[in-house]
Structure formats: structure tokens, C-alpha cells
Amino acid sequence: MADIARTRDILADLVAFPTVSADSNLGLIAYAGEILSEAGARLSIHHDESGTKANLFATLGPEGDGGIVLSGHTDVVPVEGQDWTGDPFRLREADGRLYGRGTCDMKGFIACCLAMAPVFAERTLKRPLHFAFTYDEEVGCFGARALMEDLKRAQIHPAAAIIGEPTLMRIIEGHKGCYEYTTEFRGLEGHGSDPDRGVNAVEYAVRYVSRLMALAEDLKARAPAESPFRPPWTTLQVGLMQGGAARNVIPGHCAVEWEMRPVQEADAAFVKDNVQAYIDAVLRPAMQAISREADIVTHVVGEVEGLEPAPRSEARRIVSELTGLTEAEVVAFGTEAGLFQSAGVSAVICGPGSIAQAHKPDEFVAVEQLSACLGMLERLTAKLV
């Protein structure tokens, strides 16, 4: 089994890379790639369009389908405005806890995987073991989405994926999706004394929001009978609305930030189809009857599929055998697991640390949690030889 001291050292190195989503992760990717390469893994690194970020996909063992993926994202949330006891990007240990940005979300899991790589390499693996480390999970799972396309092109078909988000080493089999949008209303400005000569972007945005709220009520009736989520239905909410310049000026622009969290993929289609039909049949024609330049444009911030509990899940069966746990739960937060599931890979979430510590100042992971994760990965070798 990997030494906990070695794991701690690797975690300290990982934390020292300030891989906030707005910045590059290439230093961390190179570091992880070197450890995996020294263990004999075959590496594949794919950059984003900017060239400043990359996914790392590495494989130990034979070629072929049916492998197991250990997956984690390399980016972390910002630290600005947070009151940290020490340097967020320097690992600090106290009372059995390791403090630093990303320690639980989710560099602790990545450190365990890297520490275990030489252990896996010593065995004669009969089944592929993949390591998938991605970029930009925190801002829309963009790296994981690109990874799914890369695996499809390479015709790599893993059987199961363990996503090591912080769950206190409990098994998580489901979470809602997270679909985020900005809908932009482009109207026609004018003097407030003659509203009919302009296209009031704020007023059309209000009508649009009213439609969203009506759909939010409709979604409650669509909740699956056995939905394990809380609340059991797909939620929809408006988080921000901005538009206008002054009370006596017809506003020519307004933007609405909104999101939905589907419990089932069909609900996302239900909302998008209904909203688009309302725009096409009602709002846009009324706006363009006054100004042909008026329009409504929706920008996709991110569409991350949920992880739907599966009655027969190889990933859940594997992790259940590794941990000894027989029960699985669902959570409110989103992960990359749904993308694996949508790509045909059985997925489950299980990793060290608590989500209650994620994104907060003085984020930490307990040393005992890392030890438990190392134990799970050690037992995984039996599934591979």
C-alpha cells in the first residue's frame, strides 16, 4: 500500500499549483504526468483551445475495453475575499487535518491516485486502469466534456469510473444535472414618454421570467414517483436580472441569468422546448414588429448532465465491494460523473474529505480520510489482476 507520508508530500506539491479555474493547470498536469510516466503509464495530454489548460488521460495495464477510470478535476475555486489562516497554496497540517485550497476538492483524491500508481504498476494488470485528470470542472465541466469526445475518437470504452469528489468515502450514485444560461434581450431605446415607439427589453425579460416561473411549477408535477432527490422535482430559478439605464429611458438591453437542475434529462428538454416555442411564437414577433433588429439570444454557460441512479451499476458494485458499504446515496452538488454515464460508462462518486469543507477558507482533508482512500485503491488491485 502507498505510504501516507508519500501521499501527503504529493498533496503538498499539488496544492502549491494555484490551479484556479481562471488560470492554467499545465504545471500540475506536467507534474502528474511525470509521476504516472515513471510508473510506466501511457500518457495522452489534450489542450483546450487557449493552450493554457489540459486534460491528462493515462493508462496502466493492457489496451482494450472494460477498464476502470479514476477521475478527478485539477481546478480549484478562487481564494479572493476569503479569510485564510495561512497561505491557501501551501499545505499546512494541524490536528490530523491537511489544510489548503483543493485539499478535499479534489486534490486529495488525485494525490492518492498518484501515490498508488507505482503500487498498481508492480502488479500484472489484466484489465486497463485509467487516470483521468481534467480542467475547468468548477466553471462548467468543460474539460470532462472534451475528454468524453477524445475517448470517443480514440475508441476507448471503459466499463466503470470512480469520481473522487469528497463524500467522506461514502458511495454516491446520483445527483441532479446543472444547466446554466444567460438570456439576452436586445430592444430599442427611446424616450420614456412614448413607450410604444421603443422595444422595452426589461419588459420582455419580465414576461420571459414569468414563463420560466410557470414552468417551474409545471416541473413539480413531473417528479418521478421514486425520486430520491430533495426536492424530488427538477428545480428552476432566476439568479440575476440586469437592464436599463434610467427610469425615463426605454431600456434597450436586459440580461437574465437562470439555471435549472434536472432530475431527469427529459425535463431539460421540456423546459428548453417550451421556452423556445414562447420566444418564437410570442416574444420575438412582438419585438420585431417594432424593430427588426430586436432579438432574444440565449447563451449556454454550461450544461452538465446529472448522474441518474442505475438499477444495475458496475461502478457501484465495484466500490461497494472495495469499501464494504451496501448503501448508496444521492447528493445536491454536481460532478463530472453524469458525463461519464452519458458516454456509456458506469459511474459512481466516492472520495476523501467532506463537501462541507469545499470552497471555504481553511479547506481541509483529514489524514484518516486519505488513508481510507488509499485502502480502497489498494483493494482495487484485486479487480485488475
Side-chain angles (χ1 to χ4, degrees):
M1 180 172 170
D3 190 335
I4 188 64
R6 171 62 174 155
T7 306
R8 185 188 294 107
D9 290 344
I10 292 174
L11 181 56
D13 291 340
L14 295 178
V15 169
F17 292 104
T19 53
V20 175
S21 302
D23 301 322
S24 175
N25 74 334
L26 296 185
L28 187 153
I29 290 296
Y31 172 85
E34 182 176 354
I35 291 176
L36 291 170
S37 181
E38 289 177 354
R42 303 180 295 279
L43 306 187
S44 177
I45 297 176
H46 290 266
H47 294 79
D48 72 344
E49 292 182 358
S50 73
T52 63
K53 299 178 183 181
N55 289 328
L56 170 62
F57 189 79
T59 303
L60 287 170
E63 303 281 356
D65 296 341
I68 296 175
V69 182
L70 301 176
S71 179
H73 63 82
T74 63
D75 61 317
V76 298
V77 297
V79 299
E80 284 75 17
Q82 295 186 337
D83 186 17
W84 284 74
T85 300
D87 183 349
F89 298 107
R90 183 174 181 178
L91 194 72
R92 175 173 61 90
E93 184 170 3
D95 301 322
R97 296 173 174 178
L98 299 172
Y99 292 87
R101 173 54 86 223
T103 47
C104 78
D105 187 20
M106 54 185 297
K107 291 180 177 180
F109 179 74
I110 295 175
C112 289
C113 293
L114 294 176
M116 281 294 299
V119 179
F120 289 123
E122 291 173 355
R123 314 294 172 88
T124 302
L125 305 184
K126 297 180 181 178
R127 186 177 188 179
L129 175 64
H130 307 291
F131 301 82
F133 303 143
T134 60
Y135 63 87
D136 281 359
E137 186 270 352
E138 297 288 4
V139 292
C141 293
F142 300 122
R145 193 173 297 280
L147 175 64
M148 296 307 111
E149 293 299 320
D150 290 337
L151 295 182
K152 183 178 180 181
R153 280 191 292 269
Q155 297 187 358
I156 297 173
H157 305 105
I162 302 171
I163 292 80
E165 291 277 7
T167 69
L168 289 173
M169 297 305 295
R170 302 195 306 269
I171 302 172
I172 304 301
E173 64 174 354
H175 62 72
K176 295 182 181 182
C178 185
Y179 289 48
E180 299 176 311
Y181 306 95
T182 300
T183 301
E184 182 183 2
F185 296 81
R186 302 168 185 170
L188 176 65
E189 287 188 341
H191 197 284
S193 64
D194 196 355
D196 290 344
R197 293 180 65 85
V199 178
N200 191 314
V202 170
E203 289 187 9
Y204 281 96
V206 169
R207 293 170 65 180
Y208 180 85
V209 169
S210 295
R211 187 68 168 193
L212 290 179
M213 294 301 95
L215 288 170
E217 289 300 311
D218 293 340
L219 288 167
K220 293 179 180 180
R222 292 173 57 91
E226 302 300 326
S227 174
F229 297 103
R230 180 183 178 189
W233 52 77
T234 292
T235 58
L236 191 159
Q237 72 104 27
V238 175
L240 180 67
M241 187 173 177
Q242 291 181 317
R247 68 176 61 88
N248 60 349
V249 177
I250 300 170
H253 183 269
C254 189
V256 175
E257 305 270 356
W258 62 283
E259 65 152 32
M260 61 175 159
R261 299 189 179 243
V263 298
Q264 52 194 350
E265 199 169 336
D267 285 352
F270 169 77
V271 170
K272 292 194 287 185
D273 290 348
N274 273 274
V275 167
Q276 193 60 50
Y278 184 56
I279 290 173
D280 294 341
V282 179
L283 297 183
R284 186 181 287 117
M287 296 170 72
Q288 294 185 346
I290 301 170
S291 170
R292 294 186 62 83
E293 301 302 316
D295 203 1
I296 302 172
V297 179
T298 294
H299 306 279
V300 178
V301 178
E303 293 182 332
V304 181
E305 291 87 339
L307 177 64
E308 297 187 22
R312 292 182 179 83
S313 168
E314 180 174 1
R316 175 179 168 174
R317 177 185 61 78
I318 289 172
V319 176
S320 179
E321 292 172 357
L322 297 179
T323 61
L325 300 174
T326 58
E327 299 297 324
E329 306 169 41
V330 300
V331 292
F333 61 88
T335 76
E336 297 172 334
L339 292 169
F340 280 96
Q341 187 180 66
S342 295
V345 182
S346 176
V348 76
I349 307 160
C350 183
S354 169
I355 196 65
Q357 305 306 324
H359 299 192
K360 293 182 178 180
D362 289 343
E363 175 183 348
F364 70 85
V365 64
V367 174
E368 64 179 6
Q369 283 285 301
L370 296 180
S371 295
C373 184
L374 290 172
M376 178 185 76
L377 296 177
E378 169 68 23
R379 291 185 287 275
L380 177 62
T381 58
K383 306 290 182 184
L384 303 167
V385 297

